[in-house]
Amino acid sequence: MNNRIKLVSKIKFKFDKKIHKNYFSTQYFIKAKKCLKNSQQISALQFIHFTDHPIMMCGLNEIKQLLKFFLSKKQQKKIKLFSHLDGQIIDSKDTPLMLIKGHYKDIMCLENIIDGILSQRCSIATNAWLAQQALKAGQKIIYMADRSNNYFCQPYDAYPAYLAGVDLFVTKAQTQFINMDSNVQVVGTIPHALIQQYQNNLIAMIEDYRSYFPNDQLLCLIDYENDVIKTLNSLLPIMDKIDGFRIDTSINLIDKSLVDIAPNAYGVNEKLVQLVNDWLVTHQLTNKKICLTSKIDNHFIEKMNQHNLKIDYFGIGSFFLKNSVHVTADLVETNGKLNAKVGRTLLKNHHLLHEIKL
């Protein structure tokens, strides 16, 4: 974890120049700033979260660089930043995520932007951390959230997951900030689309794939016909060219192999994985990898790992981008005196924050 924190602290983030023109700022902040143009009050802006479970802090380094990008040298000298550190686990709502002290008029047009950074980065880091906590030794997560957000967000969505322990990603863009770590890899599996293009001729498809990518780890999807056992049997002649299998059964379907065994076992479930495990044992192929995808979250991983099943990878997509950490900011001090909206006073454990130099 310490190496990940150190790497994240060295990321050089890029910011849109239109931030200087308040293009991304909430309209009422822009108008309020005009009313405060002559204000010299020193205020404290507190960022808090409402999550009922421990969360992982992420976004500090990005916000620090944002403040340096937005503020003049003179303004930076008048700002004090206090924060939890990236990678730190926060197990109480009695501590702010962050405090910024200074002339509020200088930073008010960044308030909603910082809210968004903290909410998104902490949510992804927390979700990834929860998923990592559910793994057994030797299991890995593949970050598959590229289809769950705009493409240009990929580097910013992926680095919090890396901070929480994820090493395997599916696009180069996701590794843009973290590719200095040799453990970080861009990986993938045989897609359904390629199977379709080969009209479900898996042998021809895998032969061709191997001719182009002889050194790839080849994980083949086995749910295209919604019959994993039939598909596995069809692959027996070319097992030497396959490293493992991916199961991606839709939650709306019951695999045909299970119809008589477990007629209510929808999607990817422990009975289906057990069936594949048993098949591998029968055919002395227990060295083959198994990857599960489709609606995976930390609870799914915990449930699957309650059974004695061979599972090597969990491919996780939309769960990573679930907004699990809602963040908001409030002014809580004016010129050193407590002054806040009812219910949003300065939290008692603010002294636990670290002072961060800009």
mmCIF file of all heavy atoms in Angstrom, residues 230-267:
data_model
loop_
_atom_site.group_PDB
_atom_site.id
_atom_site.type_symbol
_atom_site.label_atom_id
_atom_site.label_comp_id
_atom_site.label_asym_id
_atom_site.label_seq_id
_atom_site.Cartn_x
_atom_site.Cartn_y
_atom_site.Cartn_z
ATOM 1 N N LYS A 230 -21.424 -27.940 -22.463
ATOM 2 C CA LYS A 230 -21.344 -28.224 -23.903
ATOM 3 C C LYS A 230 -20.158 -27.475 -24.519
ATOM 4 O O LYS A 230 -19.401 -28.033 -25.320
ATOM 5 C CB LYS A 230 -22.640 -27.794 -24.591
ATOM 6 C CG LYS A 230 -22.615 -27.976 -26.106
ATOM 7 C CD LYS A 230 -23.884 -27.437 -26.750
ATOM 8 C CE LYS A 230 -23.797 -27.537 -28.276
ATOM 9 N NZ LYS A 230 -24.997 -26.950 -28.944
ATOM 10 N N THR A 231 -19.979 -26.214 -24.119
ATOM 11 C CA THR A 231 -18.885 -25.408 -24.666
ATOM 12 C C THR A 231 -17.531 -25.956 -24.233
ATOM 13 O O THR A 231 -16.608 -26.074 -25.056
ATOM 14 C CB THR A 231 -19.030 -23.938 -24.223
ATOM 15 O OG1 THR A 231 -20.281 -23.432 -24.686
ATOM 16 C CG2 THR A 231 -17.900 -23.094 -24.782
ATOM 17 N N LEU A 232 -17.406 -26.313 -22.967
ATOM 18 C CA LEU A 232 -16.141 -26.878 -22.482
ATOM 19 C C LEU A 232 -15.794 -28.172 -23.221
ATOM 20 O O LEU A 232 -14.638 -28.379 -23.617
ATOM 21 C CB LEU A 232 -16.227 -27.122 -20.974
ATOM 22 C CG LEU A 232 -16.189 -25.877 -20.089
ATOM 23 C CD1 LEU A 232 -16.561 -26.222 -18.661
ATOM 24 C CD2 LEU A 232 -14.824 -25.207 -20.139
ATOM 25 N N ASN A 233 -16.778 -29.016 -23.433
ATOM 26 C CA ASN A 233 -16.528 -30.265 -24.166
ATOM 27 C C ASN A 233 -16.059 -29.995 -25.586
ATOM 28 O O ASN A 233 -15.183 -30.697 -26.118
ATOM 29 C CB ASN A 233 -17.790 -31.124 -24.191
ATOM 30 C CG ASN A 233 -18.080 -31.773 -22.848
ATOM 31 O OD1 ASN A 233 -17.162 -32.054 -22.082
ATOM 32 N ND2 ASN A 233 -19.347 -32.026 -22.558
ATOM 33 N N SER A 234 -16.610 -28.946 -26.206
ATOM 34 C CA SER A 234 -16.230 -28.625 -27.583
ATOM 35 C C SER A 234 -14.801 -28.103 -27.669
ATOM 36 O O SER A 234 -14.172 -28.159 -28.738
ATOM 37 C CB SER A 234 -17.201 -27.600 -28.172
ATOM 38 O OG SER A 234 -16.990 -26.310 -27.613
ATOM 39 N N LEU A 235 -14.302 -27.614 -26.550
ATOM 40 C CA LEU A 235 -12.951 -27.048 -26.533
ATOM 41 C C LEU A 235 -11.868 -28.069 -26.208
ATOM 42 O O LEU A 235 -10.674 -27.751 -26.280
ATOM 43 C CB LEU A 235 -12.887 -25.901 -25.510
ATOM 44 C CG LEU A 235 -13.676 -24.637 -25.856
ATOM 45 C CD1 LEU A 235 -13.728 -23.697 -24.649
ATOM 46 C CD2 LEU A 235 -13.066 -23.922 -27.052
ATOM 47 N N LEU A 236 -12.246 -29.286 -25.888
ATOM 48 C CA LEU A 236 -11.259 -30.304 -25.494
ATOM 49 C C LEU A 236 -10.124 -30.509 -26.502
ATOM 50 O O LEU A 236 -8.969 -30.675 -26.103
ATOM 51 C CB LEU A 236 -11.974 -31.639 -25.219
ATOM 52 C CG LEU A 236 -12.607 -31.768 -23.824
ATOM 53 C CD1 LEU A 236 -13.483 -33.012 -23.747
ATOM 54 C CD2 LEU A 236 -11.526 -31.802 -22.753
ATOM 55 N N PRO A 237 -10.393 -30.469 -27.813
ATOM 56 C CA PRO A 237 -9.297 -30.698 -28.771
ATOM 57 C C PRO A 237 -8.205 -29.628 -28.755
ATOM 58 O O PRO A 237 -7.098 -29.880 -29.256
ATOM 59 C CB PRO A 237 -10.024 -30.710 -30.130
ATOM 60 C CG PRO A 237 -11.441 -31.044 -29.810
ATOM 61 C CD PRO A 237 -11.702 -30.406 -28.482
ATOM 62 N N ILE A 238 -8.504 -28.448 -28.221
ATOM 63 C CA ILE A 238 -7.494 -27.383 -28.250
ATOM 64 C C ILE A 238 -7.206 -26.832 -26.847
ATOM 65 O O ILE A 238 -6.826 -25.668 -26.702
ATOM 66 C CB ILE A 238 -7.926 -26.223 -29.186
ATOM 67 C CG1 ILE A 238 -9.343 -25.746 -28.821
ATOM 68 C CG2 ILE A 238 -7.819 -26.613 -30.650
ATOM 69 C CD1 ILE A 238 -9.713 -24.448 -29.513
ATOM 70 N N MET A 239 -7.341 -27.648 -25.834
ATOM 71 C CA MET A 239 -7.118 -27.197 -24.462
ATOM 72 C C MET A 239 -5.695 -26.696 -24.232
ATOM 73 O O MET A 239 -5.451 -25.862 -23.367
ATOM 74 C CB MET A 239 -7.427 -28.322 -23.468
ATOM 75 C CG MET A 239 -8.879 -28.431 -23.114
ATOM 76 S SD MET A 239 -9.482 -26.947 -22.245
ATOM 77 C CE MET A 239 -11.246 -27.177 -22.423
ATOM 78 N N ASP A 240 -4.752 -27.199 -25.016
ATOM 79 C CA ASP A 240 -3.357 -26.766 -24.846
ATOM 80 C C ASP A 240 -3.158 -25.306 -25.241
ATOM 81 O O ASP A 240 -2.159 -24.689 -24.873
ATOM 82 C CB ASP A 240 -2.419 -27.650 -25.666
ATOM 83 C CG ASP A 240 -2.731 -27.600 -27.158
ATOM 84 O OD1 ASP A 240 -3.934 -27.652 -27.513
ATOM 85 O OD2 ASP A 240 -1.786 -27.494 -27.963
ATOM 86 N N LYS A 241 -4.108 -24.745 -25.992
ATOM 87 C CA LYS A 241 -3.999 -23.358 -26.437
ATOM 88 C C LYS A 241 -4.792 -22.394 -25.546
ATOM 89 O O LYS A 241 -4.810 -21.189 -25.792
ATOM 90 C CB LYS A 241 -4.494 -23.221 -27.874
ATOM 91 C CG LYS A 241 -3.694 -24.047 -28.890
ATOM 92 C CD LYS A 241 -4.205 -23.831 -30.300
ATOM 93 C CE LYS A 241 -3.484 -24.741 -31.274
ATOM 94 N NZ LYS A 241 -2.035 -24.451 -31.368
ATOM 95 N N ILE A 242 -5.457 -22.916 -24.526
ATOM 96 C CA ILE A 242 -6.330 -22.107 -23.680
ATOM 97 C C ILE A 242 -5.787 -22.065 -22.256
ATOM 98 O O ILE A 242 -5.395 -23.097 -21.697
ATOM 99 C CB ILE A 242 -7.767 -22.697 -23.653
ATOM 100 C CG1 ILE A 242 -8.342 -22.733 -25.063
ATOM 101 C CG2 ILE A 242 -8.671 -21.890 -22.721
ATOM 102 C CD1 ILE A 242 -9.659 -23.482 -25.165
ATOM 103 N N ASP A 243 -5.741 -20.874 -21.690
ATOM 104 C CA ASP A 243 -5.244 -20.711 -20.312
ATOM 105 C C ASP A 243 -6.363 -20.720 -19.282
ATOM 106 O O ASP A 243 -6.113 -20.950 -18.100
ATOM 107 C CB ASP A 243 -4.458 -19.407 -20.186
ATOM 108 C CG ASP A 243 -3.226 -19.402 -21.068
ATOM 109 O OD1 ASP A 243 -2.366 -20.269 -20.871
ATOM 110 O OD2 ASP A 243 -3.132 -18.545 -21.965
ATOM 111 N N GLY A 244 -7.588 -20.425 -19.725
ATOM 112 C CA GLY A 244 -8.669 -20.394 -18.761
ATOM 113 C C GLY A 244 -9.982 -19.996 -19.396
ATOM 114 O O GLY A 244 -10.082 -19.806 -20.615
ATOM 115 N N PHE A 245 -10.987 -19.832 -18.543
ATOM 116 C CA PHE A 245 -12.346 -19.604 -19.025
ATOM 117 C C PHE A 245 -13.004 -18.463 -18.257
ATOM 118 O O PHE A 245 -12.783 -18.284 -17.063
ATOM 119 C CB PHE A 245 -13.173 -20.890 -18.863
ATOM 120 C CG PHE A 245 -12.487 -22.106 -19.393
ATOM 121 C CD1 PHE A 245 -11.857 -22.989 -18.536
ATOM 122 C CD2 PHE A 245 -12.433 -22.342 -20.754
ATOM 123 C CE1 PHE A 245 -11.192 -24.092 -19.019
ATOM 124 C CE2 PHE A 245 -11.774 -23.454 -21.259
ATOM 125 C CZ PHE A 245 -11.149 -24.337 -20.392
ATOM 126 N N ARG A 246 -13.824 -17.733 -18.972
ATOM 127 C CA ARG A 246 -14.588 -16.650 -18.360
ATOM 128 C C ARG A 246 -16.078 -16.988 -18.425
ATOM 129 O O ARG A 246 -16.595 -17.357 -19.482
ATOM 130 C CB ARG A 246 -14.316 -15.336 -19.094
ATOM 131 C CG ARG A 246 -15.185 -14.162 -18.628
ATOM 132 C CD ARG A 246 -14.877 -12.922 -19.454
ATOM 133 N NE ARG A 246 -15.919 -11.903 -19.304
ATOM 134 C CZ ARG A 246 -16.061 -10.854 -20.120
ATOM 135 N NH1 ARG A 246 -15.225 -10.692 -21.131
ATOM 136 N NH2 ARG A 246 -17.036 -9.995 -19.920
ATOM 137 N N ILE A 247 -16.747 -16.850 -17.292
ATOM 138 C CA ILE A 247 -18.190 -17.086 -17.215
ATOM 139 C C ILE A 247 -18.879 -15.746 -17.022
ATOM 140 O O ILE A 247 -18.605 -15.026 -16.062
ATOM 141 C CB ILE A 247 -18.547 -18.038 -16.050
ATOM 142 C CG1 ILE A 247 -17.680 -19.308 -16.100
ATOM 143 C CG2 ILE A 247 -20.025 -18.398 -16.101
ATOM 144 C CD1 ILE A 247 -17.862 -20.207 -14.889
ATOM 145 N N ASP A 248 -19.798 -15.423 -17.932
ATOM 146 C CA ASP A 248 -20.434 -14.093 -17.952
ATOM 147 C C ASP A 248 -21.955 -14.229 -18.137
ATOM 148 O O ASP A 248 -22.590 -13.402 -18.771
ATOM 149 C CB ASP A 248 -19.818 -13.259 -19.086
ATOM 150 C CG ASP A 248 -20.273 -11.807 -19.062
ATOM 151 O OD1 ASP A 248 -20.154 -11.159 -18.008
ATOM 152 O OD2 ASP A 248 -20.753 -11.316 -20.104
ATOM 153 N N THR A 249 -22.527 -15.284 -17.584
ATOM 154 C CA THR A 249 -23.946 -15.572 -17.782
ATOM 155 C C THR A 249 -24.821 -14.429 -17.276
ATOM 156 O O THR A 249 -24.647 -13.945 -16.156
ATOM 157 C CB THR A 249 -24.329 -16.869 -17.048
ATOM 158 O OG1 THR A 249 -23.444 -17.912 -17.473
ATOM 159 C CG2 THR A 249 -25.769 -17.254 -17.336
ATOM 160 N N SER A 250 -25.770 -13.996 -18.090
ATOM 161 C CA SER A 250 -26.679 -12.911 -17.717
ATOM 162 C C SER A 250 -27.527 -13.301 -16.514
ATOM 163 O O SER A 250 -27.932 -14.461 -16.366
ATOM 164 C CB SER A 250 -27.596 -12.577 -18.903
ATOM 165 O OG SER A 250 -28.666 -11.747 -18.483
ATOM 166 N N ILE A 251 -27.819 -12.303 -15.662
ATOM 167 C CA ILE A 251 -28.670 -12.559 -14.493
ATOM 168 C C ILE A 251 -30.103 -12.916 -14.896
ATOM 169 O O ILE A 251 -30.896 -13.341 -14.063
ATOM 170 C CB ILE A 251 -28.686 -11.352 -13.539
ATOM 171 C CG1 ILE A 251 -29.209 -10.095 -14.245
ATOM 172 C CG2 ILE A 251 -27.319 -11.113 -12.944
ATOM 173 C CD1 ILE A 251 -29.446 -8.929 -13.311
ATOM 174 N N ASN A 252 -30.428 -12.745 -16.171
ATOM 175 C CA ASN A 252 -31.770 -13.088 -16.654
ATOM 176 C C ASN A 252 -31.865 -14.512 -17.178
ATOM 177 O O ASN A 252 -32.947 -14.956 -17.591
ATOM 178 C CB ASN A 252 -32.181 -12.125 -17.773
ATOM 179 C CG ASN A 252 -32.248 -10.687 -17.300
ATOM 180 O OD1 ASN A 252 -32.782 -10.413 -16.237
ATOM 181 N ND2 ASN A 252 -31.695 -9.773 -18.082
ATOM 182 N N LEU A 253 -30.728 -15.223 -17.161
ATOM 183 C CA LEU A 253 -30.697 -16.573 -17.737
ATOM 184 C C LEU A 253 -30.254 -17.617 -16.717
ATOM 185 O O LEU A 253 -29.511 -17.313 -15.783
ATOM 186 C CB LEU A 253 -29.726 -16.608 -18.927
ATOM 187 C CG LEU A 253 -30.066 -15.746 -20.153
ATOM 188 C CD1 LEU A 253 -28.920 -15.795 -21.155
ATOM 189 C CD2 LEU A 253 -31.364 -16.234 -20.795
ATOM 190 N N ILE A 254 -30.714 -18.838 -16.952
ATOM 191 C CA ILE A 254 -30.212 -20.005 -16.226
ATOM 192 C C ILE A 254 -29.448 -20.854 -17.230
ATOM 193 O O ILE A 254 -29.992 -21.224 -18.271
ATOM 194 C CB ILE A 254 -31.368 -20.831 -15.626
ATOM 195 C CG1 ILE A 254 -32.190 -19.974 -14.658
ATOM 196 C CG2 ILE A 254 -30.828 -22.066 -14.908
ATOM 197 C CD1 ILE A 254 -33.479 -20.648 -14.205
ATOM 198 N N ASP A 255 -28.193 -21.136 -16.947
ATOM 199 C CA ASP A 255 -27.397 -21.938 -17.871
ATOM 200 C C ASP A 255 -28.058 -23.306 -18.086
ATOM 201 O O ASP A 255 -28.569 -23.922 -17.143
ATOM 202 C CB ASP A 255 -25.979 -22.122 -17.310
ATOM 203 C CG ASP A 255 -25.042 -22.744 -18.321
ATOM 204 O OD1 ASP A 255 -25.025 -24.002 -18.419
ATOM 205 O OD2 ASP A 255 -24.346 -21.994 -19.018
ATOM 206 N N LYS A 256 -28.044 -23.748 -19.346
ATOM 207 C CA LYS A 256 -28.704 -25.022 -19.692
ATOM 208 C C LYS A 256 -28.135 -26.195 -18.897
ATOM 209 O O LYS A 256 -28.845 -27.175 -18.636
ATOM 210 C CB LYS A 256 -28.563 -25.275 -21.189
ATOM 211 C CG LYS A 256 -29.335 -24.296 -22.059
ATOM 212 C CD LYS A 256 -29.077 -24.543 -23.538
ATOM 213 C CE LYS A 256 -29.780 -23.505 -24.401
ATOM 214 N NZ LYS A 256 -29.478 -23.682 -25.841
ATOM 215 N N SER A 257 -26.881 -26.102 -18.506
ATOM 216 C CA SER A 257 -26.261 -27.171 -17.729
ATOM 217 C C SER A 257 -26.881 -27.312 -16.350
ATOM 218 O O SER A 257 -26.721 -28.341 -15.687
ATOM 219 C CB SER A 257 -24.756 -26.898 -17.564
ATOM 220 O OG SER A 257 -24.128 -26.706 -18.807
ATOM 221 N N LEU A 258 -27.583 -26.262 -15.900
ATOM 222 C CA LEU A 258 -28.154 -26.245 -14.559
ATOM 223 C C LEU A 258 -29.660 -26.496 -14.522
ATOM 224 O O LEU A 258 -30.240 -26.619 -13.444
ATOM 225 C CB LEU A 258 -27.882 -24.891 -13.885
ATOM 226 C CG LEU A 258 -26.458 -24.573 -13.445
ATOM 227 C CD1 LEU A 258 -26.396 -23.172 -12.862
ATOM 228 C CD2 LEU A 258 -25.942 -25.589 -12.434
ATOM 229 N N VAL A 259 -30.281 -26.509 -15.659
ATOM 230 C CA VAL A 259 -31.749 -26.555 -15.712
ATOM 231 C C VAL A 259 -32.328 -27.682 -14.860
ATOM 232 O O VAL A 259 -33.308 -27.490 -14.119
ATOM 233 C CB VAL A 259 -32.235 -26.674 -17.171
ATOM 234 C CG1 VAL A 259 -33.721 -26.977 -17.214
ATOM 235 C CG2 VAL A 259 -31.932 -25.383 -17.917
ATOM 236 N N ASP A 260 -31.712 -28.863 -14.934
ATOM 237 C CA ASP A 260 -32.229 -30.006 -14.177
ATOM 238 C C ASP A 260 -31.659 -30.087 -12.766
ATOM 239 O O ASP A 260 -32.202 -30.797 -11.912
ATOM 240 C CB ASP A 260 -31.916 -31.316 -14.917
ATOM 241 C CG ASP A 260 -32.619 -31.392 -16.270
ATOM 242 O OD1 ASP A 260 -33.741 -30.838 -16.368
ATOM 243 O OD2 ASP A 260 -32.045 -31.977 -17.201
ATOM 244 N N ILE A 261 -30.566 -29.370 -12.537
ATOM 245 C CA ILE A 261 -29.889 -29.443 -11.233
ATOM 246 C C ILE A 261 -30.363 -28.341 -10.297
ATOM 247 O O ILE A 261 -30.661 -28.569 -9.122
ATOM 248 C CB ILE A 261 -28.356 -29.318 -11.413
ATOM 249 C CG1 ILE A 261 -27.841 -30.376 -12.385
ATOM 250 C CG2 ILE A 261 -27.638 -29.412 -10.071
ATOM 251 C CD1 ILE A 261 -26.398 -30.182 -12.786
ATOM 252 N N ALA A 262 -30.407 -27.127 -10.815
ATOM 253 C CA ALA A 262 -30.787 -25.959 -10.011
ATOM 254 C C ALA A 262 -31.626 -25.027 -10.875
ATOM 255 O O ALA A 262 -31.123 -24.052 -11.434
ATOM 256 C CB ALA A 262 -29.535 -25.245 -9.503
ATOM 257 N N PRO A 263 -32.912 -25.312 -11.007
ATOM 258 C CA PRO A 263 -33.780 -24.577 -11.945
ATOM 259 C C PRO A 263 -33.985 -23.099 -11.613
ATOM 260 O O PRO A 263 -34.517 -22.372 -12.447
ATOM 261 C CB PRO A 263 -35.106 -25.348 -11.860
ATOM 262 C CG PRO A 263 -35.057 -26.072 -10.566
ATOM 263 C CD PRO A 263 -33.632 -26.403 -10.322
ATOM 264 N N ASN A 264 -33.540 -22.645 -10.450
ATOM 265 C CA ASN A 264 -33.684 -21.226 -10.095
ATOM 266 C C ASN A 264 -32.339 -20.513 -9.976
ATOM 267 O O ASN A 264 -32.266 -19.412 -9.419
ATOM 268 C CB ASN A 264 -34.452 -21.093 -8.775
ATOM 269 C CG ASN A 264 -35.889 -21.577 -8.904
ATOM 270 O OD1 ASN A 264 -36.583 -21.218 -9.849
ATOM 271 N ND2 ASN A 264 -36.320 -22.412 -7.969
ATOM 272 N N ALA A 265 -31.288 -21.134 -10.483
ATOM 273 C CA ALA A 265 -29.942 -20.565 -10.346
ATOM 274 C C ALA A 265 -29.638 -19.650 -11.538
ATOM 275 O O ALA A 265 -29.043 -20.057 -12.531
ATOM 276 C CB ALA A 265 -28.907 -21.678 -10.244
ATOM 277 N N TYR A 266 -30.048 -18.407 -11.416
ATOM 278 C CA TYR A 266 -29.856 -17.436 -12.492
ATOM 279 C C TYR A 266 -28.435 -16.860 -12.483
ATOM 280 O O TYR A 266 -27.789 -16.750 -11.436
ATOM 281 C CB TYR A 266 -30.849 -16.287 -12.365
ATOM 282 C CG TYR A 266 -32.264 -16.642 -12.768
ATOM 283 C CD1 TYR A 266 -33.146 -17.210 -11.843
ATOM 284 C CD2 TYR A 266 -32.720 -16.430 -14.067
ATOM 285 C CE1 TYR A 266 -34.446 -17.549 -12.209
ATOM 286 C CE2 TYR A 266 -34.020 -16.758 -14.435
ATOM 287 C CZ TYR A 266 -34.880 -17.315 -13.507
ATOM 288 O OH TYR A 266 -36.157 -17.640 -13.868
ATOM 289 N N GLY A 267 -27.992 -16.469 -13.672
ATOM 290 C CA GLY A 267 -26.734 -15.748 -13.805
ATOM 291 C C GLY A 267 -25.521 -16.560 -13.396
ATOM 292 O O GLY A 267 -25.518 -17.793 -13.433
#
